[in-house]
Amino acid sequence: MKSMAVWNEGDWIAAIAATALFAFLIVGALIATRKSEEFVGHPRGLFVLFYAEMWERFSYYGMRALLILYLTKFWLFGDGKSNLIYGAYTSLVYITPVLGGYLADRWLGQRKAVVFGGLLLALGHLFMAYEGLQGATDPLVKQADPAINVFWLALALICVGSGFLKANISVIVGQLYAMRDIRRDAAYTIFYMGVNVGAALGTILVGYLGETIGWSWGFGLAGIGMVLGLIIFMIGKPALRGQGEPPKPLVGSREWVLYGTGFAAVAVLWFLLQYQGIIQNLLIVSGVAMLLYTLYEAFKLPKEPRERMFAILFLIALNPVFWGLFEQAGGSLSLYTDRYVDRAGVPTSLFQSINPIYIVLLGPIFAALWQWLGKRGLEPSAPAKFGLALAQVGLSFLVFVWGARAVGIENMTPVIFVFLIYFFATTGELCLSPVGLSAMTRLAPLHLGSFIMGAWFYMTAVGNFVAGKIGEATGGESGEMSKELTLDIYTRIGWITIGVAVVVMVLARWVKRWMHLDTLEDRVTPADQAAIHGGGEGENVEGALPGRA
């Protein structure tokens, strides 16, 4: 144990994060013991979901902060290959919500899906703590260690666990509010802050332990965080007001068959993670299939719900552009920071906490801004906000490149430009991610709620794989990152994204018309009626609007 007299910046940051985590635990305990059904104007269930997701993100982002460094420094993969593995893994994390959302919609219900996903995630993070062979310096010897199969299994468990948890916990948030409740966007921003409190604290504490004490210490802490999140969710069940239950009672062995499907998916992903080239083709094929199915469902609907589906498709299609740039944070930007930025001794992984910290600080400002503009009829539409998001993330890379070149390519990049690239990327994220989550739950027909949320995460998956390919390109032909080449690629993708943003802003007014916001209360379709009444439970339409998906 270090004496405080010799602590460096990284030690102090970790100590502050540990103190903040303790404070959040106290606040969570106070909310849990309240008898009131509301807290600061929102249902208490929102804060159960807030804390459950906070711990889940603590584990996921803590592990994510270490992954690219773990691949290059422990498993000794090359830079290009490590970026590709990182992109493949993060893409699968976001594609599996299609499976989890579909099974929850049809049979399992969102609450049971979240519990099952949490169990898989806890197992995955704990398996990451197993390292195997120590001290090998030859990449071929290291990667021949049988323990690498445990590593692939851990990644597969985390991917599938996230698939069952991510889409469904977001849907439950939407179920706590009426369709035209003006608190919905604010609720998703609060929820998104929970995501990022966990992400910030997890990145700092898991990253600090992993880089300074040992990889297994960091990954082990991530597993403990996931277990705590699962416990909070299960204890907080009454605050969810019965939302997220199975659409029909699960009879016989059906529930266990559904869980077996999840374990079968783990086996498939264990294989895919080792052969990343296959994933690109699967993304294309499954993406086309998903588009055709969405259009098939859309053309069965009346005019207004059908046009809302077209608006959904437009917004979802922008996901890969944004996340392809944004997700450089955990890949090429992390390696760049490790090698070419003047970090003053701060562990590389801790810099990934900048983004979630910005969101915690800026999230309330954006939530208040949207409400203030909304009351005055000045709030930008969801498509316009997406255009603003793309412009900002493109600008973030151009600012970073300018800063790196301004001091000379032969010199270390000043750390202020790492803070700036994260700042503009974060303001862009706040214009896209919580707005997109809210739009999906508002615009989707009730009987397709989790599927549409899964489709949202699917296109985020495509963006993550694109990010991996961009990161792979920074390795050039040799597979090892080059500073000059990386900055050239960052310049190119920055300008392309700003060009896309201009086109989106021009089209925004037409897409807004497809959303038919003035008739959202009337959006229950015949298929929704069947979903509502199919179980013979007799809910009326009004009562079901904020309820089952």
Side-chain angles (χ1 to χ4, degrees):
M1 183 72 179
K2 280 186 182 180
S3 167
M4 290 179 64
V6 296
W7 280 12
N8 60 27
E9 289 91 339
D11 298 324
W12 282 107
I13 292 170
I16 293 169
T19 304
L21 181 61
F22 182 72
F24 267 93
L25 288 174
I26 293 175
V27 174
L30 292 174
I31 295 173
T33 56
R34 284 175 61 91
K35 295 182 180 179
S36 171
E37 284 300 309
E38 291 203 347
F39 179 72
V40 296
H42 287 273
R44 192 162 60 93
L46 173 65
F47 296 93
V48 170
L49 300 173
F50 174 103
Y51 273 90
E53 182 70 348
M54 185 196 87
W55 279 110
E56 187 272 328
R57 295 289 88 182
F58 177 98
S59 64
Y60 173 77
Y61 278 98
M63 175 270 200
R64 171 183 175 269
L66 289 175
L67 182 56
I68 194 76
L69 303 173
Y70 188 57
L71 287 166
T72 55
K73 295 182 178 182
F74 182 79
W75 288 112
L76 306 180
F77 286 106
D79 296 340
K81 181 68 170 178
S82 295
N83 272 287
L84 189 58
I85 294 171
Y86 173 84
Y89 161 70
T90 54
S91 70
L92 290 173
V93 164
Y94 284 96
I95 197 174
T96 50
V98 177
L99 173 65
Y102 180 80
L103 295 180
D105 269 349
R106 297 289 181 177
W107 301 289
L108 194 56
Q110 286 78 30
R111 187 185 63 80
K112 287 179 179 288
V114 168
V115 172
F116 179 61
L119 289 171
L120 293 182
L121 281 164
L123 285 174
H125 287 299
L126 292 173
F127 276 136
M128 285 290 294
Y130 178 70
E131 294 180 356
L133 181 66
Q134 302 288 327
T137 57
D138 184 338
L140 295 178
V141 172
K142 185 65 179 176
Q143 293 157 28
D145 181 4
I148 200 169
N149 292 301
V150 178
F151 170 67
W152 300 125
L153 174 62
L155 293 184
L157 285 165
I158 294 170
C159 288
V160 178
S162 291
F164 276 86
L165 189 145
K166 284 180 70 67
N168 293 299
I169 200 167
S170 298
V171 169
I172 299 174
V173 172
Q175 291 174 344
L176 295 174
Y177 298 86
M179 295 303 164
R180 296 178 71 180
D181 191 325
I182 63 171
R183 301 176 298 170
R184 286 178 68 94
D185 277 9
Y188 271 103
T189 301
I190 291 171
F191 178 71
Y192 210 61
M193 284 176 62
V195 169
N196 287 281
V197 167
L201 297 177
T203 298
I204 293 171
L205 294 174
V206 173
Y208 176 81
L209 289 179
E211 285 200 74
T212 61
I213 299 179
W215 303 109
S216 61
W217 284 78
F219 294 132
L221 179 61
I224 293 170
M226 186 60 248
V227 171
L228 289 173
L230 186 59
I231 291 171
I232 289 171
F233 183 79
M234 296 176 72
I235 292 175
K237 176 184 174 183
L240 302 181
R241 302 175 179 177
Q243 304 297 344
E245 296 302 317
K248 297 180 182 180
L250 293 168
V251 296
S253 61
R254 174 172 289 182
E255 184 171 354
W256 291 103
V257 170
L258 296 173
Y259 297 146
T261 303
F263 284 113
V266 170
V268 172
L269 266 60
W270 176 84
F271 171 79
L272 290 177
L273 284 162
Q274 300 175 65
Y275 301 96
Q276 303 87 36
I278 300 175
I279 296 175
Q280 179 174 337
N281 294 330
L282 289 177
L283 286 172
I284 295 171
V285 172
S286 56
V288 171
M290 180 178 293
L291 174 63
L292 293 175
Y293 176 74
T294 304
L295 290 172
Y296 169 75
E297 290 288 347
F299 282 108
K300 293 195 299 183
L301 300 171
K303 180 178 182 294
E304 290 191 359
R306 180 171 66 249
E307 291 186 344
R308 288 194 190 102
M309 292 286 278
F310 295 157
I312 286 171
L313 287 173
F314 178 86
L315 297 177
I316 286 177
L318 300 175
N319 257 356
V321 182
F322 181 86
W323 297 110
L325 272 69
F326 185 92
E327 280 297 327
Q328 295 308 308
S332 69
L333 183 59
S334 184
L335 291 179
Y336 185 101
T337 303
D338 189 54
R339 298 168 189 179
Y340 305 124
V341 170
D342 183 6
R343 296 181 284 110
V346 176
T348 302
S349 58
L350 271 63
F351 284 90
Q352 290 189 51
S353 68
I354 297 172
N355 163 250
I357 290 171
Y358 276 150
I359 287 183
V360 172
L361 296 175
L362 298 175
I365 297 173
F366 272 74
L369 175 64
W370 299 144
Q371 286 191 318
W372 186 84
L373 291 173
K375 290 177 181 177
R376 290 159 179 78
L378 300 174
E379 182 179 6
S381 65
K385 290 176 183 176
F386 274 48
L388 292 171
L390 292 173
Q392 289 167 92
V393 75
L395 177 64
S396 73
F397 279 83
L398 297 181
V399 169
F400 183 80
V401 171
W402 174 81
R405 294 194 185 282
V407 299
I409 197 72
E410 69 282 359
N411 296 317
M412 299 292 276
T413 301
V415 73
I416 183 63
F417 292 103
V418 177
F419 282 86
L420 285 174
I421 192 173
Y422 277 115
F423 178 81
F424 288 112
T426 301
T427 56
E429 184 183 5
L430 286 166
C431 289
L432 182 140
S433 199
V435 174
L437 288 172
S438 179
M440 296 305 106
T441 58
R442 292 177 79 188
L443 300 177
L446 296 182
H447 69 292
L448 294 173
S450 285
F451 173 79
I452 291 299
M453 190 63 72
W456 166 265
F457 287 123
Y458 174 86
M459 291 304 282
T460 305
V462 175
N464 277 264
F465 192 81
V466 169
K469 297 297 287 185
I470 293 172
E472 183 185 29
T474 64
E477 295 182 3
S478 68
E480 299 303 315
M481 173 177 277
S482 157
K483 185 177 184 180
E484 181 66 41
L485 177 60
T486 300
L487 294 177
D488 286 344
I489 290 172
Y490 283 4
T491 301
R492 198 177 315 156
I493 61 178
W495 282 116
I496 290 172
T497 305
I498 288 176
V500 174
V502 172
V503 174
V504 172
M505 294 296 290
V506 170
L507 297 176
R509 66 175 65 185
W510 286 279
V511 178
K512 181 182 177 182
R513 293 174 189 167
W514 285 345
M515 296 169 71
H516 297 287
L517 298 176
D518 54 330
T519 57
L520 269 177
E521 290 287 8
D522 304 322
R523 74 183 183 119
V524 180
T525 67
D528 293 330
Q529 291 277 14
I532 292 166
H533 295 295
E537 299 177 33
E539 299 98 335
N540 59 44
V541 171
E542 290 77 12
L545 277 174
R548 298 181 184 211

